[in-house]
Amino acid sequence: MSRISRRQIYIGGIVQGVGFRPFVYKLAQELSLHGYVLNSSAGVTVEVEGADWELECFVRRLRDETPPLAQIEDVVIQTLAPAGYSSFVIRGSVDEPGRLAPVSPDVSTCDDCLRDFRSDGNRRHGYPFTNCTNCGPRYTITRKIPYDRPLTTMACFAMCEKCLAEYEDPADRRFHAQPNACPSCGPALTLMLRDHLEAPLTFDGGLSEIRAVRQMLQQGRIVAIKGLGGFHLACDASNGQAVGALRERKKRSDKPFAIMVPDATSAERLCFVSEAARVALESARRPIVILPRRADAPGFPEALAPGNNTLGIMLPYTPLHYLLFSDSVDQPPAFSALVMTSGNISEEPIVTGNREAARRLHRIADAFLFHNRDIHTRVDDSVVRVFEEKERVLRRSRGYAPFPIALSFPVAEILACGAELKNTFCLTKEHHAFLSQHIGDLENYETLVFFQETLTRMQDLFRIEPKAVAYDLHPMYLSTKLALEMKDVEKIGVQHHHAHVASCMAENGITGKVIGVAFDGTGFGTDGKIWGGEFLVADFAGFERRAHFRYISLAGGDAAVREPWRLGLSYLMDTFGERAESLDLPVWRHVPAKKVATVRAMIERGINTVETSACGRLFDAVASIAGLRHEVNFEAQAAIQLEAIAVQGLEEQYPFEISDGEAWQIDMRPAIESIVRDVLAGRPASYIAALFHNTVAAIVVEVCRRLRAAEGLDRVCLSGGTFQNLYLLERAVAGLRSSGFEVFLHSKVPPNDGGISLGQAVIANARLWGGPPGPPPTPSSACP
């Protein structure tokens, strides 16, 4: 007779809300083992008894056959004396104070549930809240851990007999599915017209309300639809009048709208979809994927994405989304595409509550589709782009947050407050970095409240009490002010571009020195100037600024960001001096002479100006000089359009110079002079854009070569929002690799300011563990 042994097994990682306990239960039953499994605030605990060979088999299969949504990070096994268990059971959850268990992100509808709600005769036919162990809401409904129904916003919905039977049946895929529900016992819908929003909300609707919304959308109306992490504003993407009305009402002039299509095949009719892009579209995370448009695509209004050669496309990720297109697989989709843009006033957080939506969106939407499952945590759609057949995250939110970034080293409990634009914050503990979902631009009270409420919830969820807070050096950022007001924590200032490079290092598991290239539109420098075209030699403990673009004047602060012609004027004055305005350039025909004279005087006298080395501002300047864009109404609009028109296949570049000094300066005056010559000669803007991109890529390669010769470093980290430009990124990466460099890019964390909090956190950790004492000096110079 085989000797009976007992194993106590702790499993950490994404193991709650993903069907892990049912998986363990079924595995133990299959192997005739006795014991128990339970959720704890640290993960999953299993005790199991049986013969040694059976336990070895159990542990092996536990690792190898995990549910598709589970991600095991560690397994700790202890051998104990037998306890004499007589059966295997799922025990109630246990809260272990101070212990942490990652929470699963929300998961798109699985194929099995898709068949359920689209099949006539199924009791869930047309039910917009169908889910199971393998799909459905997670993070957005979780109030506390362990992940159990009473600790979610599903607590108020008591399961009917049939749902409870599924929940308790080990053979059912809804075994211990916490959000399990059906039309008899679960959440429901109600549809209200804009003129009737004061009436009481009664939730008893389902498919009939969805059909009514479908009809409204076909009639060209705009509907606010409550979804998984907040409201969407929806309209028929093929209806130019509806798209135009949505732009006007939402006060969103040109920024591209995301669209939802029924399936990947529909996406392929509109855009070029590579295999990697298709995988991203169809993944359980269901992000918006930025795809190149087809010239021969079916006609859609230009207002969807003005001036862009890409579209942001996503697939349905909840039953409600699928049902908006059709009732069943046999019914053709009612729409080729729907605009599904965030339900908010521009620059404010996405709306989550029913009454909040009625109050804030009533001037935009003609009707509202509400439901009564509360959204505990607001989460916007994520955005990715594919480069080198790999998904690269540009906005990390639904489907990704709050899954942690695994670090290759231990970290203290730290809060990093992030930057002002595209804000996320980061909390660290053990070997984990927990980035918040996309918060947005911290430029108004509503977004600051969103930041604070999310911080409170994540600290509570992951049991993190920060010992230090890291912040950006810019004294006017709301995130910086919030950090400096915190009590009883060490405060650590982190330079913006050092954080960009450190973020890339941390994501790629690098701890030694690298050449860091950080290109973006703004970042407060240690000299009080605005950086953004930076070459650093850096590790987590510190950095040296070894090269940067030559400073030019940023006239009018934020006004210069909104009006690229001001940057064009600054570069032209720097290059041509008093001759700048005598040049026959398109910009002088678009900007009033009086306004030009005012800004010229500001630059000449240094009034309300600050010096900048930002690469993003250089892109703005070139876009204006080339006659492409003189004003913008969303961030990086001019640079995006410059990328969009750049013609492929050209290898030429413009000249530039690199001057010696403590930090080398990259002088773009030769390039600006050549660009002006091409404009005056009538060269198309597409040609100028291509050569300009080639020039910036050549600068990256040349400066890195010189730094390698000086420092002996051959690892290069590319970070910053400018490297979202794939035309530039492709050429810079190719040039670096052909020169023998090992190049590291972002994939899990945005290269823009959405990923900067990770860099702040690991730099702060290095300081706490013996890096240079104290933060870098915070300059007192005036900032835009």
Side-chain angles (χ1 to χ4, degrees):
M1 183 176 180
S2 299
R3 184 172 66 89
I4 299 298
S5 297
R6 175 165 61 120
R7 302 284 190 274
Q8 186 178 68
I9 308 169
Y10 293 96
I11 304 109
I14 299 292
V15 289
Q16 295 190 18
V18 292
F20 204 88
R21 286 179 299 173
F23 157 69
V24 171
Y25 179 92
K26 293 174 186 176
L27 182 57
Q29 295 282 47
E30 182 182 333
L31 296 174
S32 300
L33 301 176
H34 298 159
Y36 68 85
V37 60
L38 59 82
N39 274 349
S40 76
S41 51
V44 167
T45 300
V46 181
E47 284 203 8
V48 62
E49 286 185 347
D52 285 337
W53 69 269
E54 292 172 322
L55 297 178
E56 289 173 8
C57 179
F58 177 83
V59 171
R60 184 181 69 253
R61 293 180 62 183
L62 191 72
R63 296 177 189 269
D64 295 344
E65 301 176 13
T66 55
L69 301 179
Q71 297 190 40
I72 293 178
E73 291 183 2
D74 49 65
V75 177
V76 179
I77 303 173
Q78 287 184 292
T79 299
L80 304 173
Y85 297 122
S86 59
S87 62
F88 194 91
V89 298
I90 297 179
R91 287 188 178 178
S93 298
V94 173
D95 189 358
E96 300 180 54
R99 300 295 298 278
L100 110 80
V103 175
S104 170
D106 302 286
V107 183
S108 65
T109 300
C110 70
D111 290 343
D112 289 327
C113 285
L114 183 61
R115 280 189 289 272
D116 284 350
F117 67 77
R118 299 188 89 171
S119 298
D120 290 333
N122 189 291
R123 73 186 189 94
R124 289 187 173 85
H125 176 247
Y127 185 56
F129 303 97
T130 302
N131 68 86
C132 72
T133 303
N134 299 319
C135 69
R138 298 293 189 271
Y139 178 47
T140 52
I141 65 169
T142 301
R143 297 184 188 277
K144 294 181 181 295
I145 54 172
Y147 176 73
D148 286 314
R149 193 180 182 104
L151 300 180
T152 73
T153 60
M154 287 295 295
C156 58
F157 298 99
M159 282 183 277
C160 65
E161 288 186 8
K162 289 181 179 179
C163 285
L164 187 60
E166 293 169 333
Y167 183 86
E168 294 177 340
D169 181 3
D172 197 288
R173 78 173 195 279
R174 294 189 171 94
F175 181 44
H176 277 253
Q178 303 307 325
N180 189 30
C182 74
S184 299
C185 64
L189 301 172
T190 190
L191 177 62
M192 302 195 76
L193 298 178
R194 178 168 53 191
D195 297 336
H196 298 87
L197 290 174
E198 297 302 321
L201 297 179
T202 302
F203 295 95
D204 55 10
L207 187 56
S208 60
E209 279 69 18
I210 296 172
R211 287 170 174 162
V213 168
R214 194 187 299 155
Q215 188 174 27
M216 288 179 180
L217 295 171
Q218 289 172 324
Q219 293 168 350
R221 300 171 83 177
I222 298 166
V223 183
I225 299 172
K226 188 176 181 181
L228 194 59
F231 277 78
H232 281 117
L233 290 165
C235 71
D236 181 355
S238 66
N239 187 322
Q241 189 172 356
V243 174
L246 179 54
R247 282 208 176 278
E248 183 179 349
R249 295 182 196 177
K250 198 180 178 190
K251 299 179 173 63
R252 182 167 171 163
S253 303
D254 294 319
K255 194 173 183 180
F257 282 140
I259 62 173
M260 180 178 284
V261 298
D263 49 41
T265 301
S266 301
E268 289 173 331
R269 295 191 188 103
L270 301 175
C271 295
F272 295 100
V273 182
S274 68
E275 183 57 35
R278 189 181 185 104
V279 168
L281 277 170
E282 295 181 331
S283 72
R285 296 182 293 269
R286 284 292 201 278
I288 298 168
V289 183
I290 307 297
L291 297 168
R293 297 170 80 157
R294 289 183 178 275
D296 60 347
F300 275 88
E302 174 64 17
L304 278 179
N308 274 260
N309 58 4
T310 61
L311 284 175
I313 294 182
M314 61 180 160
L315 302 187
Y317 55 85
T318 71
L320 174 56
H321 295 149
Y322 283 101
L323 292 166
L324 285 173
F325 285 99
S326 66
D327 290 0
S328 67
V329 291
D330 299 327
Q331 186 181 74
F335 312 95
S336 54
L338 290 171
V339 170
M340 294 289 270
T341 190
S342 300
N344 59 357
I345 302 293
S346 289
E347 311 311 327
E348 292 185 3
I350 189 171
V351 172
T352 58
N354 294 328
R355 288 303 180 192
E356 178 192 15
R359 185 176 68 254
R360 291 172 60 188
L361 304 180
H362 72 279
R363 296 185 186 277
I364 303 176
D366 298 307
F368 292 76
L369 186 63
F370 297 126
H371 65 69
N372 59 343
R373 184 180 69 201
D374 286 345
I375 298 170
H376 183 65
T377 300
R378 71 183 84 218
V379 179
D380 219 325
D381 294 316
S382 294
V383 182
V384 306
R385 203 169 183 181
V386 170
F387 176 69
E388 293 186 333
E389 287 302 286
K390 186 172 184 178
E391 178 185 291
R392 312 279 175 178
V393 175
L394 304 184
R395 184 170 78 189
R396 191 175 186 271
S397 210
R398 177 191 50 76
Y400 297 81
F403 187 71
I405 303 299
L407 301 175
S408 60
F409 47 87
V411 283
E413 295 189 18
I414 295 168
L415 164 65
C417 289
E420 178 154 276
L421 300 180
K422 299 180 174 63
N423 179 269
T424 67
F425 62 80
C426 179
L427 290 163
T428 59
K429 185 173 184 175
E430 298 170 359
H431 284 77
H432 300 98
F434 294 91
L435 268 71
S436 72
Q437 66 272 31
H438 171 75
I439 301 295
D441 295 348
L442 277 179
E443 296 180 326
N444 54 59
Y445 173 75
E446 292 81 6
T447 310
L448 181 61
V449 169
F450 178 27
F451 179 106
Q452 292 172 319
E453 76 180 22
T454 306
L455 175 59
T456 299
R457 289 171 181 174
M458 286 185 67
Q459 281 187 246
D460 182 55
L461 204 57
F462 300 121
R463 318 292 175 90
I464 295 174
E465 293 295 331
K467 307 299 185 293
V469 57
Y471 61 91
D472 193 280
L473 294 183
H474 200 304
M476 299 307 293
Y477 282 0
L478 284 178
S479 57
T480 297
K481 293 178 179 180
L482 184 147
L484 294 175
E485 290 170 0
M486 293 182 67
K487 307 294 185 185
D488 303 319
V489 292
E490 184 171 346
K491 300 175 178 69
I492 300 174
V494 178
Q495 200 282 320
H496 189 93
H497 301 97
H498 185 201
H500 267 308
V501 174
S503 174
C504 187
M505 292 172 61
E507 180 182 347
N508 287 284
I510 303 169
T511 54
K513 283 191 175 182
V514 300
I515 299 170
V517 185
F519 285 0
D520 62 6
T522 187
F524 201 68
T526 54
D527 58 0
K529 299 176 182 180
I530 301 302
W531 295 5
E534 310 306 311
F535 293 82
L536 311 179
V537 171
D539 57 17
F540 296 141
F543 72 93
E544 295 177 75
R545 188 190 195 198
R546 297 301 305 275
H548 59 86
F549 284 98
R550 186 170 178 273
Y551 285 123
I552 58 101
S553 293
L554 189 71
D558 287 344
V561 178
R562 295 190 297 271
E563 298 179 341
W565 69 265
R566 295 179 183 235
L567 279 306
L569 174 60
S570 192
Y571 269 100
L572 290 169
M573 289 176 64
D574 189 44
T575 303
F576 296 98
E578 294 180 357
R579 295 175 46 228
E581 290 173 62
S582 66
L583 300 167
D584 185 21
L585 295 172
V587 60
W588 309 138
R589 295 189 287 275
H590 286 80
V591 183
K594 187 176 180 180
K595 199 169 185 180
V596 172
T598 300
V599 174
R600 183 186 66 242
M602 291 168 60
I603 295 170
E604 290 172 341
R605 299 171 190 172
I607 299 171
N608 193 21
T609 63
V610 64
E611 290 187 298
T612 181
S613 62
C615 188
R617 303 287 77 88
L618 172 61
F619 272 77
D620 289 346
V622 172
S624 179
I625 293 169
L628 182 65
R629 191 97 207 177
H630 307 298
E631 295 181 357
V632 299
N633 52 61
F634 66 90
E635 189 206 2
Q637 183 178 12
I640 290 169
Q641 292 190 8
L642 198 63
E643 176 191 4
I645 67 166
V647 66
Q648 298 285 340
L650 294 179
E651 300 298 329
E652 301 100 309
Q653 65 187 57
Y654 292 121
F656 60 90
E657 295 176 358
I658 301 174
S659 63
D660 293 330
E662 184 178 351
W664 307 329
Q665 292 196 38
I666 302 149
D667 189 344
M668 292 299 291
R669 285 178 295 184
I672 297 297
E673 189 173 354
S674 298
I675 289 169
V676 167
R677 190 180 303 119
D678 281 343
V679 173
L680 296 177
R683 290 275 196 180
S686 57
Y687 172 88
I688 295 168
L691 268 62
F692 170 68
H693 280 82
N694 294 345
T695 305
V696 178
I699 289 168
V700 171
V701 176
E702 178 59 26
V703 175
C704 287
R705 281 176 178 162
R706 296 190 186 197
L707 286 174
R708 178 172 58 190
E711 301 288 341
L713 299 172
D714 61 4
R715 294 188 297 184
V716 178
C717 289
L718 303 181
S719 189
T722 301
F723 286 115
Q724 293 177 176
N725 181 322
L726 295 195
Y727 195 103
L728 171 64
L729 185 64
E730 179 182 353
R731 284 151 182 78
V733 169
L736 288 167
R737 287 182 181 152
S738 67
S739 297
F741 288 98
E742 189 176 8
V743 184
F744 296 92
L745 309 174
H746 291 277
S747 58
K748 300 174 186 175
V749 174
N752 55 49
D753 284 4
I756 210 167
S757 58
L758 173 61
Q760 291 176 339
V762 294
I763 291 169
N765 186 67
R767 299 253 184 90
L768 290 174
W769 290 104
T778 302
S780 58
S781 302
C783 315

